[in-house]
Amino acid sequence: MKRTKIALTGLALLTAGVIALSGCSSSGGNQGDNGKTGGTSSSAIIKVNGSEPENPLIPTNTNEVGGGKILDSIFAGLAYYDGKGKLVNDMAESITVDDPSNVTIKIKKGEKFTNGQELTADSFIKAWQYGALFSNKQLNSSWFADIEGFDPAKDSQLTGLTKVDDYTFKVKLNSPVAADWAQRLGYSAYYPLPDVAFDDMKSFGEHPIGNGPYKLASDSAWQHDVQIDLVKNDGYTGSRQVKNGGLTIKFYTTQDAAYADLQAGNVDVIDAIPPSAFATFESDLGDRAVNQPAAIFQSFTMPGNLAHFTGEEGTLRKEAISMAINRDQITKTIFNGTRTPASDFTSPVISGWSDSIPGNEVLKYDPAKAKELWAQADAISKWSGTFQIAYNADGGHKEWVDAVSNSIKNALGIDASGKSYVDFATLRQDVNDRKIKTAFRTGWQADYPSQYNFLQPLYGTKASSNDSDYSNTEFDSLLAQGASASDPAAATADYAKAQEILFKDLPAIPLWYSNVTGGFAEGVKNVTFGWNSVPLYYEITKG
């Protein structure tokens, strides 16, 4: 982390498991060409899997993977993350950490949106002001919380944004977290917007105009619940130069359907293998199979006001539930080694990860201890009913939810089961509206490579993805302290102490870390899966 006035050139935080396959698989690869030689077509359309976005495609209101894949393709921010997680300047000429609370940003001159409008400092300032404004109810509003003037409870301007000239602006933060904050600038919440967006934001979200390596193929490119068609944006001058003609992102309701299409040659690259194929996909696809670590954490969460799961009783029950789950057995039998039992709340591919944080013994399978804790909770208030875990049926979750439920049932002697929602959007609607009355599956695919990103957005007070409404002032203080530390080792120590609190409170029950499992079709080349499990689409070729 940098404190002095030095231009930020990127912090490579990954220490292991870097996913730069370039066509390789877990068993070794051959540049993704299946042994064939010959040229490729720069005009080829690459077909990939995806999911229907939860909301219109507005950067400050998209915090799920389906919409994020599209936004990252059609927009270019100040910077982006390469396959190894390194921050690389994109639209920024420089990002300079002046001191722990101040950052200066210079924009490259001559960059344009696809409607011809020039990209300027205002393109970022106006977009960020919109995203932070309370009345706009943007899901990513908390990403602006560290900027001076942010108020989560009422409309207020980000007074910390100061335009210097058409291509330069300064950011004043309300706490000394500039080093970590600058590392976040590759995330989509910080993308710029053209002026036309503010005329009718809802309409813009249906027909977004970006400045990235791709653009929408036409006004009707987004066929809801079917696919979205993107083509190469020849006006993009950043480092993510497109080597194909475009993308067709097909929206699948099941992972089985996507895998069947891959086997039939109807899709070129997929980044999710269905549980039904975990045992066979590597032998089926050979050198075209992908099974590599990624920055993905899986859990399930209880609503903050769920009956029997608050106060002392709730603490006992959450510990009991956690210790009733046989993670080792489930990751072996259900996932065939494509998951690793969790030992913390982050990911092994992120710098600072540890498997020995005090309190993480609650993640060890101990049915006798679990039953003892459950009995202690019953002494406070007798349990009745069924413990349920809600999940979306279109995401390949039924098998593990059933296995976890059976493990809990067998260990505690209670009724436990899954509760199926038809799709991800429907589940998230109930979660976002705080209408859900059961535990529900949760997970995190990192936005930028930092432990802070696994902790603050999910468990920070009033954070954007804090689905349980968890709040602990000591935890918040440790996160802030870690984010402001000039020494990475000191930051890691603060984050470890913060996780000790999480292990006591258990706002979520950690389950396992996910590998990215995927594959690509014959004739497809230059396939690189990034640190966060998403393919680098612009590098893919075929022909």
Side-chain angles (χ1 to χ4, degrees), residues 297-302 389-390 397 400 427-428 431 440-444 458-459 465 467-468 507-509 511:
F297 167 84
Q298 298 289 339
S299 59
F300 65 83
T301 299
M302 266 76 85
I389 303 172
H397 301 289
W400 74 256
L427 171 61
R428 290 303 307 174
V431 172
F440 51 94
R441 63 154 290 262
T442 44
W444 192 250
L458 277 73
Y459 314 114
S465 298
D467 292 329
S468 69
I509 306 296
L511 292 173

Side-chain angles (χ1 to χ4, degrees), residues 314-363:
T315 298
L316 291 166
R317 292 204 189 281
K318 284 186 282 187
E319 289 179 354
I321 289 286
S322 181
M323 299 181 82
I325 301 169
N326 193 335
R327 294 169 178 81
D328 286 328
Q329 183 183 68
I330 292 170
T331 54
K332 290 174 183 175
T333 60
I334 300 298
F335 293 112
N336 284 276
T338 62
R339 305 289 188 273
T340 303
S343 55
D344 83 327
F345 287 81
T346 67
S347 166
V349 303
I350 298 297
S351 180
W353 173 83
S354 172
D355 62 357
S356 56
I357 294 173
N360 74 350
E361 60 269 13
V362 298
L363 303 183

